[in-house]
Amino acid sequence: MSDSVEEWQVVRRGKGASRKFKSHHQIPPTSACLQEQLDVQKLVRRIRDTVSELRVEELWQQWKNQLLLATSTSLSRPSERSETDTQQDKDTEWTVQQHLECVCYGLGSFSSCVSARYQLAMLLLLLDAGQIPLKNCSLYDPAFSSAERDVLRGLGLTVLTENEEGKRLATKPTLFYLMHCGKALYNNLLWKNWSPCCLSLVTIIGNCFSGIRERTIERELRRDYCYISKAVDLCEERLLPCPSRLIDVFSDTAVITFPSDRLNKLPQSTWTDSPEPQYQHCLDLEIILKQTCISTSPVTGDR
């Protein structure tokens, strides 16, 4: 794609940003700017190296194939149309690609965490494979530093400034990249899209719902995370491979979709009683709440 990782540019911090240095000596402003530029360049270089490393892995080819298979129903394919409509097919395909979106929550601090850096590299590869423009991918994590936000913007990605708590409504085909996020984040996303129309637009790459059910006491799952509990029987999961050396990075990850034919067969009562989650009984809530900005564990917990 045109926004290739080889074309990434370094982004400098704006004026007025504060910095702390380990040195006891006064550093001239020009030196401070140069040091930060070098740090950002080093981080971009590490991300680029990780992308290159994953690109030649068999793991990546398998992930790519599963993603394209899962999202094929959301894309318009020329083979399904008349041969005389070639130009119209190209226009339709371009329009669909322009409207395909991606949202990433809970990536973590990729400048200090190797796992987060691998997950970011995989995200960039997935965007390329799905022909999703970089600007159509929005990210949020309260753990992002100012420099990390600069790096993401420099890559062409969109950095969200508001904590949505996972409550993002899908109004067009959307890939949600939620690697090892807490159950509340998945539950909030499902609640916000709890209708056949919206769920059919949602594709999730994240923790396998059936695995979450196996690791959670059933009565607590139904009480506190009822939308995950219901979604296990509504969704289609394609478990993604994970080599042993990357077990901490990509374990228990699946591509999750919600087939329209399965959703439309359910009674209307399935969708009418859908109260917003409150989590009053969750003492170990794994999410950063917008109201309090306080959490007992990080948003990227639930490993």
Side-chain angles (χ1 to χ4, degrees), residues 6 27 32 55 83 89 93 127 131 138 162 169 173 195 198 223 265 270 272:
E6 278 72 18
I27 299 179
R55 194 189 297 275
E83 294 181 0
D89 292 337
E93 183 179 1
L127 294 176
Q131 300 185 50
S138 302
E162 178 184 355
L169 182 67
S195 71
C198 293
R223 181 193 65 192
K265 291 179 181 178
T270 305
T272 53

Side-chain angles (χ1 to χ4, degrees), residues 22 141-142 174 212 236 241 260 288-289 302:
K22 294 181 179 180
D141 194 316
T174 305
I212 292 177
E236 181 176 301
S260 297
I288 303 294
L289 297 178
D302 195 41

Side-chain angles (χ1 to χ4, degrees), residues 169-186:
L169 182 67
T171 57
K172 58 190 67 174
T174 305
L175 171 65
F176 289 91
Y177 190 73
L178 312 175
M179 297 297 297
H180 294 170
C181 290
K183 293 186 287 292
L185 203 62
Y186 293 103

Side-chain angles (χ1 to χ4, degrees), residues 119-137:
Q119 291 166 0
L120 174 57
M122 180 63 81
L123 172 61
L124 292 169
L125 286 172
L126 291 170
L127 294 176
D128 195 1
Q131 300 185 50
I132 304 175
L134 293 174
K135 64 183 178 62
N136 285 11
C137 179

Side-chain angles (χ1 to χ4, degrees), residues 18 24 43 50 86 91 109 131-132 136-137 142 153 164 169 206 211 246 258 265-266 283 294:
S18 60
H24 295 289
L43 178 54
T50 308
T86 304
D91 294 342
S109 179
Q131 300 185 50
I132 304 175
N136 285 11
C137 179
R153 294 189 186 101
E164 300 176 338
L169 182 67
L246 295 175
F258 300 86
K265 291 179 181 178
L266 298 172
L283 300 179
I294 297 176

